[in-house]
Amino acid sequence: SEVPPPFDPGCGTFIVDFLTDRGLDGILVDGRLPGTKSDTLWMHELGIKGKTSGGRGQYSAGVFYGDWKDIQIEVEIEDITGQCNTGFAANLGKARSVGVEAEYVFAVSDRLILSGSGSWAEAEVLEDPSNEFLGATAGDRLPGSPDLQLSVSGDYVWPMANDKTGFVRLDAQYIGEIFGAFEFGDERTRSGKYSIGNLRVGMETERYQLTAFIDNLTDNQGKVFSNGA
């Protein structure tokens, strides 16, 4: 089991009052916030892979189901002044993760290759936790992972003089919604739900490579991470 160190003595009064106001003062042990015990995960997967179009296309796909017990999650304690914001790890009880994933690569010609991949996952709490202070209920999504991810790319190469090779690559990615840590009855933070595209153009030889690139072609200001703010 892991036991976190004592919290900042200067914040002791705030933390104790915060927990007491919510009827949670009994979770403190010797002036420390709760620790955690090891979690267990049984993951079941079934997949397939193969080739199409005489080997020009390759694909793989799979489904998975994860049975997760005593999952460790981070719980936030928020101070409106920001001086005593803290958190602790706790065991959530039972959760599950179920989803599908697939990818495909196709050589349109010797010069052009297209590829794409995607995954969908539903990771949620299976039962109301015995520790009510977690702020989670059955059906709540677990923090930290997007529900949907998609990506596509295209690579084109061509021969140049003096054994040089030119290339251009265009790729795009979509990240679905991501929930932040569980909080004490407050609304959880959310991030994700953004798309981004990138462009690479260059030339290479056996000895060196020159590349010009543009990241985030559409200047999308997606929120890539949010936790407690």
Side-chain angles (χ1 to χ4, degrees):
S1 299
E2 177 185 355
V3 178
F7 46 74
D8 185 342
C11 295
T13 300
F14 165 76
I15 293 175
V16 171
D17 290 346
F18 185 98
L19 297 174
T20 300
D21 290 345
R22 291 160 176 76
L24 307 171
D25 51 304
I27 71 173
L28 295 176
V29 179
D30 297 327
R32 298 170 183 260
L33 291 167
T36 57
K37 60 182 179 180
S38 297
D39 58 342
T40 59
L41 171 64
W42 285 96
M43 183 63 72
H44 311 273
E45 300 183 16
L46 179 64
I48 186 174
K49 62 180 180 179
K51 297 181 179 180
T52 63
S53 303
R56 292 166 57 194
Q58 299 183 46
Y59 66 87
S60 63
V63 297
F64 60 86
Y65 178 88
D67 183 13
W68 209 344
K69 296 181 180 179
D70 294 320
I71 178 174
Q72 298 177 3
I73 55 96
E74 184 74 14
V75 182
E76 300 291 334
I77 296 177
E78 289 192 2
D79 175 11
I80 59 174
T81 69
Q83 297 179 354
C84 292
N85 287 347
T86 187
F88 60 93
N91 294 104
L92 187 59
K94 292 183 179 180
R96 72 174 179 188
S97 177
V98 58
V100 296
E101 54 189 4
E103 62 179 6
Y104 186 71
V105 179
F106 183 72
V108 180
S109 67
D110 292 340
R111 298 185 180 185
L112 177 62
I113 297 178
L114 303 178
S115 63
S117 63
S119 65
W120 170 85
E122 182 180 82
E124 62 181 14
V125 181
L126 279 182
E127 59 186 9
D128 292 341
S130 58
N131 297 319
E132 61 180 19
F133 61 83
L134 294 178
T137 57
D140 285 348
R141 280 180 49 193
L142 296 178
S145 60
D147 54 350
L148 179 66
Q149 296 186 81
L150 300 171
S151 66
V152 293
S153 67
D155 293 88
Y156 185 76
V157 299
W158 65 94
M160 302 176 68
N162 300 320
D163 295 324
K164 298 182 179 67
T165 300
F167 63 87
V168 59
R169 175 183 174 84
L170 181 65
D171 63 76
Q173 183 180 35
Y174 172 78
I175 301 294
E177 187 174 47
I178 304 172
F179 278 79
F182 290 104
E183 313 228 4
F184 286 91
D186 297 329
E187 184 177 356
R188 297 168 64 188
T189 61
R190 302 188 186 193
S191 56
K193 296 189 73 173
Y194 67 89
S195 56
I196 189 171
N198 307 297
L199 176 66
R200 297 284 189 277
V201 180
M203 176 192 69
E204 64 182 356
T205 69
E206 292 183 355
R207 298 181 58 187
Y208 64 85
Q209 181 183 93
L210 298 176
T211 304
F213 61 90
I214 302 176
D215 289 334
N216 195 6
L217 281 166
T218 58
D219 195 27
N220 191 337
Q221 301 296 311
K223 183 183 290 186
V224 299
F225 176 79
S226 179
N227 191 23

